[in-house]
Amino acid sequence: MTTGTAYLLVAIAGTECALPREAVREILPLPRLWRPPGAPGALAGFLNLAGSAVPVVDLAVLFGLGQPATARAVLYRHLILLKSESPMALLVDRVADVVRIEQTQVRPVADGATLNGCVCAEIRTGERLVHGLAVDRILLAEERDRVAAQTREAQARLAEWAA
């Protein structure tokens, strides 16, 4: 029997990170996104998921690891659809694996060590250390509010075109 906590290992602009598997609803290939004018750089756009506007946050841009990518450069990237009250997806370069990690291989990181405490742990996988991300702390409260407002606008736009 396998023990430990399941994590999704992802690559973000050459940086390895891990997300708790329990926070992930689905992994998707990158579909066409709609990006409203004036959206912040980290908002890659919106995914139309069965008539619901789902904001897509580009983690490389949000974390200051890269610039918004061109359409050709994002072709093979993955979306991670999160389980949350307000639907949201994360854009990453690649989902590498799902692994089980024993608690002894997880070292907590102090909340103040990263912006908003978004990196909550250092996780040892073999000989590597990866950043364990706290999904609920990736965005600042102000960023969440702005994304929520833009999501309402995107949802209204979708509703105008509904059959």
Side-chain angles (χ1 to χ4, degrees):
M1 180 166 87
T2 305
T3 62
T5 303
Y7 288 92
L8 193 71
L9 298 180
V10 301
I12 304 168
T15 301
E16 291 182 292
C17 294
L19 296 165
R21 173 62 185 95
E22 66 188 21
V24 176
R25 178 175 152 194
E26 195 172 352
I27 301 164
L28 304 168
L30 186 63
R32 182 179 301 271
L33 301 176
W34 172 72
R35 191 168 189 279
L43 182 61
F46 289 91
L47 161 68
N48 180 352
L49 186 65
S52 293
V54 176
V56 177
V57 175
D58 186 334
L59 289 184
V61 176
L62 183 70
F63 294 158
L65 300 172
Q67 296 296 317
T70 63
R72 186 174 178 84
V74 299
L75 186 60
Y76 298 106
R77 294 174 79 186
H78 290 144
L79 285 184
I80 301 170
L81 187 60
L82 300 175
K83 292 179 189 173
S84 61
E85 291 177 26
S86 303
M88 185 169 81
L90 304 175
L91 180 61
V92 299
D93 294 339
R94 180 87 24 219
V95 173
D97 203 357
V98 176
V99 296
R100 288 208 170 269
I101 305 291
E102 295 298 328
Q103 192 57 39
T104 57
Q105 301 301 109
V106 179
R107 190 175 78 191
V109 171
D111 284 349
T114 60
L115 182 62
N116 205 36
C118 66
V119 176
C120 61
E122 288 183 337
I123 300 170
R124 180 162 300 285
T125 62
E127 297 300 313
R128 305 182 327 264
L129 278 180
V130 299
H131 304 291
L133 301 179
V135 172
D136 60 336
R137 291 186 269 168
I138 288 175
L139 294 177
L140 299 170
E142 298 83 5
E143 293 167 332
R144 280 193 305 272
D145 291 345
R146 186 163 179 202
V147 167
Q150 290 198 326
T151 301
R152 286 189 297 274
E153 291 172 13
Q155 189 63 50
R157 182 175 179 195
L158 280 175
E160 287 179 19
W161 292 92

PDB file of all heavy atoms in Angstrom, residues 8 17 57 59 92 101 122-123 126 156 162:
ATOM      1  N   LEU A   8       1.059  17.009  -7.593  1.00  0.00           N
ATOM      2  CA  LEU A   8       1.212  17.166  -9.029  1.00  0.00           C
ATOM      3  C   LEU A   8       2.493  17.958  -9.244  1.00  0.00           C
ATOM      4  O   LEU A   8       2.619  19.073  -8.734  1.00  0.00           O
ATOM      5  CB  LEU A   8       0.009  17.949  -9.556  1.00  0.00           C
ATOM      6  CG  LEU A   8      -0.246  17.992 -11.027  1.00  0.00           C
ATOM      7  CD1 LEU A   8      -0.721  16.629 -11.494  1.00  0.00           C
ATOM      8  CD2 LEU A   8      -1.315  19.028 -11.330  1.00  0.00           C
ATOM      9  N   CYS A  17       7.735  22.947  -9.372  1.00  0.00           N
ATOM     10  CA  CYS A  17       6.824  23.202  -8.264  1.00  0.00           C
ATOM     11  C   CYS A  17       5.901  22.010  -8.091  1.00  0.00           C
ATOM     12  O   CYS A  17       5.816  21.148  -8.961  1.00  0.00           O
ATOM     13  CB  CYS A  17       5.998  24.460  -8.530  1.00  0.00           C
ATOM     14  SG  CYS A  17       6.977  25.980  -8.581  1.00  0.00           S
ATOM     15  N   VAL A  57      -4.730  31.856 -14.991  1.00  0.00           N
ATOM     16  CA  VAL A  57      -3.603  32.635 -14.488  1.00  0.00           C
ATOM     17  C   VAL A  57      -2.300  31.981 -14.945  1.00  0.00           C
ATOM     18  O   VAL A  57      -2.084  30.790 -14.711  1.00  0.00           O
ATOM     19  CB  VAL A  57      -3.653  32.733 -12.949  1.00  0.00           C
ATOM     20  CG1 VAL A  57      -2.417  33.452 -12.414  1.00  0.00           C
ATOM     21  CG2 VAL A  57      -4.923  33.445 -12.503  1.00  0.00           C
ATOM     22  N   LEU A  59       1.207  31.292 -14.319  1.00  0.00           N
ATOM     23  CA  LEU A  59       2.063  31.322 -13.128  1.00  0.00           C
ATOM     24  C   LEU A  59       3.457  31.871 -13.415  1.00  0.00           C
ATOM     25  O   LEU A  59       4.046  32.518 -12.553  1.00  0.00           O
ATOM     26  CB  LEU A  59       2.153  29.931 -12.505  1.00  0.00           C
ATOM     27  CG  LEU A  59       0.881  29.432 -11.824  1.00  0.00           C
ATOM     28  CD1 LEU A  59       1.125  28.077 -11.164  1.00  0.00           C
ATOM     29  CD2 LEU A  59       0.366  30.432 -10.808  1.00  0.00           C
ATOM     30  N   VAL A  92       0.647  26.376 -16.800  1.00  0.00           N
ATOM     31  CA  VAL A  92       2.017  25.956 -16.501  1.00  0.00           C
ATOM     32  C   VAL A  92       2.655  25.457 -17.793  1.00  0.00           C
ATOM     33  O   VAL A  92       1.965  25.164 -18.764  1.00  0.00           O
ATOM     34  CB  VAL A  92       2.067  24.858 -15.417  1.00  0.00           C
ATOM     35  CG1 VAL A  92       1.475  25.360 -14.104  1.00  0.00           C
ATOM     36  CG2 VAL A  92       1.363  23.595 -15.862  1.00  0.00           C
ATOM     37  N   ILE A 101       4.355  11.661  -1.780  1.00  0.00           N
ATOM     38  CA  ILE A 101       5.486  12.124  -0.983  1.00  0.00           C
ATOM     39  C   ILE A 101       5.184  11.879   0.495  1.00  0.00           C
ATOM     40  O   ILE A 101       4.125  12.268   0.989  1.00  0.00           O
ATOM     41  CB  ILE A 101       5.747  13.640  -1.209  1.00  0.00           C
ATOM     42  CG1 ILE A 101       5.936  13.963  -2.695  1.00  0.00           C
ATOM     43  CG2 ILE A 101       6.900  14.128  -0.357  1.00  0.00           C
ATOM     44  CD1 ILE A 101       7.203  13.427  -3.296  1.00  0.00           C
ATOM     45  N   GLU A 122       9.054  23.067   1.089  1.00  0.00           N
ATOM     46  CA  GLU A 122      10.098  22.525   0.218  1.00  0.00           C
ATOM     47  C   GLU A 122       9.893  21.021   0.245  1.00  0.00           C
ATOM     48  O   GLU A 122       9.823  20.411   1.319  1.00  0.00           O
ATOM     49  CB  GLU A 122      11.485  22.864   0.739  1.00  0.00           C
ATOM     50  CG  GLU A 122      11.850  24.314   0.562  1.00  0.00           C
ATOM     51  CD  GLU A 122      13.271  24.592   1.036  1.00  0.00           C
ATOM     52  OE1 GLU A 122      13.822  23.832   1.879  1.00  0.00           O
ATOM     53  OE2 GLU A 122      13.837  25.577   0.575  1.00  0.00           O
ATOM     54  N   ILE A 123       9.787  20.436  -0.926  1.00  0.00           N
ATOM     55  CA  ILE A 123       9.473  19.017  -1.027  1.00  0.00           C
ATOM     56  C   ILE A 123      10.625  18.295  -1.717  1.00  0.00           C
ATOM     57  O   ILE A 123      11.037  18.677  -2.808  1.00  0.00           O
ATOM     58  CB  ILE A 123       8.162  18.806  -1.816  1.00  0.00           C
ATOM     59  CG1 ILE A 123       7.007  19.522  -1.103  1.00  0.00           C
ATOM     60  CG2 ILE A 123       7.867  17.328  -1.999  1.00  0.00           C
ATOM     61  CD1 ILE A 123       5.726  19.580  -1.901  1.00  0.00           C
ATOM     62  N   GLY A 126      13.353  12.580  -4.659  1.00  0.00           N
ATOM     63  CA  GLY A 126      14.650  12.032  -5.055  1.00  0.00           C
ATOM     64  C   GLY A 126      15.745  12.972  -4.575  1.00  0.00           C
ATOM     65  O   GLY A 126      15.826  13.295  -3.400  1.00  0.00           O
ATOM     66  N   ALA A 156     -20.775  37.637 -18.296  1.00  0.00           N
ATOM     67  CA  ALA A 156     -21.841  38.423 -18.917  1.00  0.00           C
ATOM     68  C   ALA A 156     -21.700  38.422 -20.436  1.00  0.00           C
ATOM     69  O   ALA A 156     -22.694  38.320 -21.167  1.00  0.00           O
ATOM     70  CB  ALA A 156     -21.836  39.850 -18.364  1.00  0.00           C
ATOM     71  N   ALA A 162     -25.158  33.332 -25.676  1.00  0.00           N
ATOM     72  CA  ALA A 162     -25.741  32.010 -25.444  1.00  0.00           C
ATOM     73  C   ALA A 162     -26.911  31.775 -26.391  1.00  0.00           C
ATOM     74  O   ALA A 162     -27.670  32.675 -26.701  1.00  0.00           O
ATOM     75  CB  ALA A 162     -26.206  31.878 -24.005  1.00  0.00           C
TER      76      ALA A 162
END
